[in-house]
Amino acid sequence: MSAPVVIGAGLAGSEAAWALAQRGVAVTLCEMRPEKYTPAHHTAGFAELVCSNSLKAMRLGSAAGLLKAEMAHMGSLIVEAAKATAVPAGGALAVDRERFSAYVTEKIRSHPLITVRQGEVTEIPAEGDVIIATGPLTSDALSKALAACTGREGLHFFDAAAPIVEADSIDMTKAFRAARYGRGDDDYINCPMNKAEYEAFYDALVSAERAPLHDVDRVDVYEGCMPVEILAARGHDSIRFGPLKPVGLTDPRTGHRPWAVVQLRTENAEGTMYNLVGFQTNLKFPEQKRVFSLIPGLENAEFVRYGVMHRNTFLDSPRLLDRHLRLKSDPRIRFAGQITGVEGYIESAATGILTGIDLARERAGKPPVDLPATTMLGALTRYAADETVRDFQPMGCNMGILPPLETHIRDKQERYLAVAERAMRDLAATDI
Ligand SMILES: Cc1cc2nc3c(=O)[nH]c(=O)nc-3n(C[C@H](O)[C@H](O)[C@H](O)COP(=O)(O)OP(=O)(O)OC[C@H]3O[C@@H](n4cnc5c(N)ncnc54)[C@H](O)[C@@H]3O)c2cc1C
């Protein structure tokens, strides 16, 4: 059996190669840097953190804390390196980025079962096991090869996403369920606005502060994914004839058609998360919270993710991958990292561990790890493979993605801790 190939020595690829090698599987890790750089990487080191130096919260009762605890349980090199190179950052795990990358690079390069091959990979290897972990800025040549393999619709190059909120946090005394013209099964949650509420929202939206777009992010910004604030700036009623159009909807509380309506559509099969339809946005995150909280019913909304606009190569995973991140049409090809539609350093790294372990298990004649849906990584990979998700957008770890507890706990911190403890118990009982 030929050695598996991992393409990309970023957060995910480093973990995947490490997980394989630690299980006795010789592996070839391919990395194009320093011969060729992505627009965001600046060093030759593995697992380079391209922006923030934080791997987010440490507390078990937080989404990021839980995910890191799961990763540590599964033998994460990234979490080990982060702990070894941590800098003081309150409750977060932040690192000295150079020492962090040097730690990972040294561990990988000195592992007897890992061979590092330098240079850009431009084609998907025609045979043997492959893990593709080339990240949000996958090189153009490989992107072309991937698009040829997945079809044009299968690979996205730009992330223009609307915010997502926790279903529980929508005030249903103001919002109502209905589908436009009564078509469908009350599929949408509708947040009605009267004229005064619309005026206040409109003014806040057009004057809110926008995030700067980097050169690397300017590609195709306005093609089919117009930010709601740009559309709004075209005219006072432009969004009332666009995403906020009220036609076909009657507010059961007034018996009338509202002046404007924001519609929310379910994001996952469990109905625990809703996205704001047509609200792709480039506003700064605190501005999104401030402005979108003016929408009646969303005053206390918990944002699972904010809207973003940036370059991001990712697959339409629900159509293409199974929950073990294997290509359905050719399961010898696996994907890991941001390209699978997870978002963030630790989320990317976590999927790398999973694909590495799964491949090592397969070569030992074992089934892939059956991660429980109650674990953060199990929930993230299920979401990525959830065929009911229509307009798939990348997802970071968050508590809203986990199934609710059997008995509801009112206090949020206590509830999150109980959810995290359940995850760790279920993970401990899983064959890894
Ligand atoms: C500008 C930017 C800023 C970000 N900031 C943050 C942040 O602050 N916090 C956060 O949590 N997440 C952030 N992210 C998102 C994401 O978590 C990181 O990009 C993360 O590094 C993704 O991990 P990965 O392993 O999937 O990809 P990467 O870490 O990017 O690794 C991919 C590797 O593949 C290599 N490669 C690409 N193409 C080829 C090829 N054809 N052949 C060989 N090698 C190849 C690359 O050189 C790279 O080393 C950011 C993303 C971008 C683009």
Side-chain angles (χ1 to χ4, degrees):
M1 226 188 294
S2 62
V5 172
V6 176
I7 311 175
L11 278 305
S14 298
E15 286 277 29
W18 183 254
L20 279 159
Q22 288 292 86
R23 281 159 186 77
V25 180
V27 52
T28 303
L29 176 62
C30 308
E31 170 55 53
M32 66 178 186
R33 289 176 292 123
E35 189 181 285
K36 184 167 184 170
Y37 284 92
T38 77
H41 287 83
H42 301 295
T43 74
F46 300 160
E48 179 181 336
L49 301 178
V50 290
C51 186
S52 156
N53 67 333
S54 170
L55 274 58
K56 302 194 200 145
M58 276 299 284
R59 268 190 349 274
L60 182 64
S62 68
L66 170 59
L67 182 56
K68 284 195 287 290
E70 293 176 8
M71 292 165 69
H73 179 83
M74 295 168 78
S76 170
L77 174 61
I78 292 298
V79 171
E80 177 189 315
K83 287 184 176 160
T85 61
V87 296
L93 179 58
V95 302
D96 173 324
R97 72 179 72 235
E98 278 171 25
R99 287 184 53 225
F100 169 79
S101 169
Y103 187 102
V104 176
T105 308
E106 207 280 316
K107 282 279 192 176
I108 298 256
R109 284 198 179 277
S110 60
H111 200 297
L113 290 179
I114 304 179
T115 305
V116 175
R117 195 194 296 153
Q118 213 110 53
E120 180 185 4
V121 177
T122 55
E123 294 290 343
I124 302 170
E127 48 195 43
D129 293 319
V130 185
I131 297 176
I132 301 176
T134 43
L137 303 170
T138 295
S139 74
D140 291 346
L142 188 62
S143 295
K144 273 201 194 105
L146 287 173
C149 166
T150 61
R152 260 184 74 79
E153 300 297 307
L155 192 65
H156 301 286
F157 296 97
F158 198 80
D159 189 2
I164 297 173
V165 296
E166 277 183 27
D168 275 357
S169 67
I170 303 169
D171 182 353
M172 293 304 292
T173 64
K174 294 184 178 165
F176 63 94
R177 286 185 178 276
R180 214 180 284 283
Y181 302 114
R183 291 181 197 131
D185 294 329
D186 291 359
D187 289 343
Y188 290 82
I189 291 180
N190 301 280
C191 298
M193 291 182 184
N194 61 30
K195 191 158 187 269
E197 287 163 340
Y198 178 78
E199 307 278 333
F201 173 72
Y202 180 85
D203 290 344
L205 180 62
V206 290
S207 60
E209 199 180 344
R210 298 173 193 170
L213 277 180
H214 303 288
D215 280 348
V216 33
D217 297 334
R218 287 185 198 279
V219 230
D220 296 343
V221 172
Y222 301 113
E223 283 175 25
C225 53
M226 167 93 62
V228 67
E229 62 276 9
I230 304 271
L231 181 63
R234 288 188 167 176
H236 190 263
D237 280 326
S238 52
I239 49 172
R240 234 165 52 78
F241 290 97
L244 275 78
K245 73 172 176 278
V247 295
L249 291 165
T250 304
D251 184 343
R253 273 167 217 100
T254 62
H256 296 299
R257 178 207 280 184
W259 185 254
V261 174
V262 173
Q263 288 204 298
L264 289 93
R265 186 166 46 215
T266 185
E267 181 65 30
N268 57 344
E270 297 77 27
T272 55
M273 301 182 289
Y274 276 76
N275 64 66
L276 279 68
V277 179
F279 268 63
Q280 51 273 20
T281 176
N282 191 41
L283 296 187
K284 289 191 163 175
F285 291 176
E287 289 288 82
Q288 292 189 35
K289 174 130 185 88
R290 181 178 69 81
V291 176
F292 300 149
S293 299
L294 295 173
I295 297 170
L298 301 190
E299 292 86 347
N300 298 308
E302 293 279 350
F303 286 80
V304 167
R305 76 166 267 175
Y306 288 104
V308 287
M309 309 211 68
H310 60 191
R311 188 176 150 195
N312 190 10
T313 310
F314 67 99
L315 298 165
D316 186 18
S317 298
R319 255 58 56 194
L320 295 167
L321 305 185
D322 66 17
R323 74 182 166 90
H324 307 290
L325 306 178
R326 294 176 295 204
L327 194 62
K328 287 180 197 167
S329 60
D330 187 353
R332 86 189 159 83
I333 302 173
R334 293 161 202 260
F335 289 86
Q338 186 123 339
I339 200 163
T340 65
V342 295
E343 182 152 277
Y345 297 148
I346 50 171
E347 292 83 347
S348 298
T351 58
I353 308 173
L354 186 63
T355 47
I357 294 178
D358 276 350
L359 181 49
R361 286 175 63 93
E362 186 180 290
R363 291 168 81 100
K366 293 182 184 169
V369 178
D370 188 17
L371 274 182
T374 49
T375 61
M376 189 58 76
L377 185 53
L380 277 172
T381 46
R382 273 161 215 264
Y383 175 73
D386 181 350
E387 290 177 29
T388 67
V389 175
R390 277 162 287 183
D391 181 19
F392 180 64
Q393 294 292 344
M395 177 71 68
C397 62
N398 67 84
M399 287 295 187
I401 203 172
L402 295 174
L405 293 167
E406 274 177 23
T407 320
H408 186 70
I409 299 175
R410 264 187 81 82
D411 180 79
K412 196 159 103 179
Q413 283 202 0
E414 278 178 31
R415 184 167 73 245
Y416 284 177
L417 186 59
V419 163
E421 284 170 349
R422 175 186 65 179
M424 293 310 290
R425 265 197 314 275
D426 291 352
L427 187 61
T430 305
D431 177 27
I432 290 175

